[in-house]
Amino acid sequence: MQETANVRCSEAGCGAPADTRQNPIRCARCGGLLEVVVPPPSIDPRALRALWLDRRRSFHPSDLSGVWRFREFLPQQFPADVVTLREGNTPLLETPRTATRVGVRRLLFKHLGWNPTGSFKDAGMTVGMTEAKHSGATRVACASTGNTAASMAAYAARAGLEARAYLPKGAVSAAKLAQALDFGAEIVEVDGNFDAALERLTSRPSSGEYFLNSLNPFRLEGQKTAMIELLEQLAWEVPDDVVVPGGNLGNVSSFGKAFEELVAAGLIAKPPRLIVVQADGANPFVRLWRSGASTLEPLRDPQTEATAIRIGAPASWKKALRAVRFTGGFVTDVSEPAIAAAKAAIGCEGIGCEPASATTLAAIEQLAGDGRISRDATVVAILTGHALKDPDFIIRHQRSGD
């Protein structure tokens, strides 16, 4: 494990250091988002790959975690301080029938919804909560469309900390709300959408609350390990494309950071293309990409049944833009009917996911059809949430015959 990790501004031309004891959300100098800098591993890439595989035979809590097993790329923590629910270790599933149907050579689903609370958030929360505990926090807080709240509540309970979640009133899946309540979180309902909930949290922070949205740079450190695990599962053969749903854009940012660090460490020669997908009624990042603008224009009233990505002002858009550009990727959107059809098609493979995850397959079919994804490509679709996160969507569409 590395001896040091520091936090600095992620903005080009700034790079100012941040004092993590203050749980800063943004750079005190320029207002940019922060990032964790972990020194590159000193171990030879071949030896490092062997070490990670060897840890799979260990019963130590840090090795049983599919996040902390890759701790050479994480901020240092003493093993006794790690807050874990054995997150990570999520499957990579081949789907040859669907690959043939959509017109690509090989299609795989990396299902992050098989994490302890049913979403990718757990991979980031284990690192964020560990840092919160290490910093002496007694209460953690987040704004959420549901998945972050559920994950934060579970890991806070594990760490023995209080949790408070700010949720858009009446706009969160009952299943996700039930999880947060079950794990003991205090719920604060906010009029408006996710962006209003985040504004409420960040504009009037309560004393002693440790902030655990994806603006927290330690969250992204945990989430990036999904890409290390993916490459390990592919025997370090880099796929052509990795397709990711885009909401607040923390996942995209973390994946890009992973690929930058893996290239720098000599573990891969070049990254796969990152393709980011949004719903066409909640697509501020797509609009930025298509316009070539230098600043994202928030979408005031985002609309999509894929509630996990119903976000009009994604906080991590600059980091995500850097990730897409670094990998030579691009950004696109898909319609509501296409999302519903793709979700049903994924279900026909015996794989369940929440609606936001299905944007990936909808996009792959669209992009293979117009030539932006090669017919000879190996494509990985990231599924971010479990099917039972939003069972009402399934029942509604099955009954309507969509």
Side-chain angles (χ1 to χ4, degrees):
M1 193 177 291
Q2 304 304 307
E3 294 182 356
T4 60
N6 60 73
V7 178
R8 70 183 181 192
C9 179
S10 65
E11 290 286 329
C14 181
D19 184 353
T20 57
R21 293 172 298 180
Q22 304 301 317
N23 184 215
I25 297 174
R26 294 183 178 272
C27 173
R29 179 188 295 173
C30 75
L33 296 185
L34 304 175
E35 65 181 1
V36 176
V37 181
V38 180
S42 57
I43 305 174
D44 173 78
R46 187 174 299 178
L48 189 56
R49 292 175 186 173
L51 173 63
W52 288 338
L53 278 176
D54 189 59
R55 284 177 181 157
R56 293 181 68 89
R57 297 183 294 180
S58 166
F59 290 98
H60 190 281
S62 293
D63 294 336
L64 290 170
S65 165
V67 172
W68 294 99
R69 184 162 66 86
F70 303 108
R71 51 191 173 272
E72 284 71 21
F73 275 76
L74 295 176
Q76 180 185 12
Q77 292 292 346
F78 292 106
D81 291 337
V82 170
V83 182
T84 178
L85 286 166
R86 298 191 184 182
E87 54 291 316
N89 301 312
T90 58
L92 182 64
L93 305 167
E94 293 266 9
T95 56
R97 286 179 301 168
T98 302
T100 299
R101 185 180 66 79
V102 302
V104 296
R105 183 179 66 85
R106 191 181 183 196
L107 175 62
L108 307 98
F109 289 100
K110 177 65 172 168
H111 205 328
L112 307 184
W114 288 25
N115 268 292
T117 74
S119 85
F120 75 92
K121 305 289 186 178
D122 297 343
M125 202 60 69
T126 181
V127 180
M129 195 66 68
T130 296
E131 176 63 20
K133 182 179 177 183
H134 178 74
S135 72
T138 58
R139 184 170 62 218
V140 292
C142 72
S144 179
T145 59
N147 282 332
T148 299
S151 181
M152 181 192 70
Y155 281 81
R158 192 71 173 166
L161 306 181
E162 297 177 6
R164 177 181 291 165
Y166 295 79
L167 307 178
K169 188 174 182 180
V172 173
S173 160
K176 298 175 186 180
L177 177 59
Q179 283 184 291
L181 291 169
D182 194 34
F183 300 132
E186 175 190 352
I187 304 300
V188 178
E189 293 190 309
V190 178
D191 290 329
N193 57 21
F194 167 82
D195 302 307
L198 184 61
E199 173 65 21
R200 166 65 180 83
L201 171 59
T202 57
S203 64
R204 290 179 284 170
S206 298
S207 176
E209 284 186 346
Y210 186 92
F211 182 82
L212 273 174
N213 275 90
S214 59
L215 275 69
N216 181 307
F218 290 93
R219 278 269 315 274
L220 300 192
E221 293 302 294
Q223 287 168 216
K224 77 184 182 187
T225 61
M227 293 300 97
I228 305 177
E229 183 177 79
L230 167 65
L231 290 165
E232 183 183 70
Q233 290 168 323
L234 290 170
W236 296 95
E237 292 290 329
V238 178
D240 296 289
D241 301 301
V242 174
V243 187
V244 192
N248 211 28
L249 302 176
N251 240 0
V252 181
S253 304
S254 70
F255 294 173
K257 190 172 189 291
F259 292 137
E260 287 187 39
E261 293 175 355
L262 290 167
V263 169
L267 283 154
I268 58 174
K270 67 175 184 178
R273 291 192 305 176
L274 273 175
I275 300 173
V276 185
V277 191
Q278 296 192 301
D280 61 9
N283 64 350
F285 194 49
V286 174
R287 296 179 184 211
L288 169 71
W289 180 262
R290 288 175 179 162
S291 70
S294 58
T295 302
L296 182 137
E297 184 70 29
L299 194 60
R300 185 163 298 183
D301 186 25
Q303 294 295 324
T304 175
E305 284 193 277
T307 56
I309 55 173
R310 190 191 291 160
I311 295 172
S316 296
W317 68 268
K318 286 187 180 180
K319 287 184 178 182
L321 189 60
R322 184 175 88 181
V324 173
R325 286 174 173 167
F326 173 75
T327 65
F330 57 92
V331 187
T332 191
D333 57 9
V334 291
S335 69
E336 295 296 300
I339 294 171
K343 177 165 167 39
I346 294 169
C348 287
E349 287 278 8
I351 304 169
C353 68
E354 68 173 327
S357 299
T359 60
T360 56
L361 180 60
I364 291 164
E365 185 165 10
Q366 176 178 294
L367 297 170
D370 65 21
R372 284 183 286 172
I373 287 180
S374 169
R375 298 279 177 172
D376 294 325
T378 294
V379 185
V380 176
I382 304 299
L383 304 182
T384 51
H386 195 281
L388 295 181
K389 286 289 189 171
D390 194 352
D392 288 346
F393 180 96
I394 301 170
I395 295 167
R396 188 165 60 250
H397 282 270
Q398 290 293 334
R399 284 179 173 170
S400 68
D402 290 353

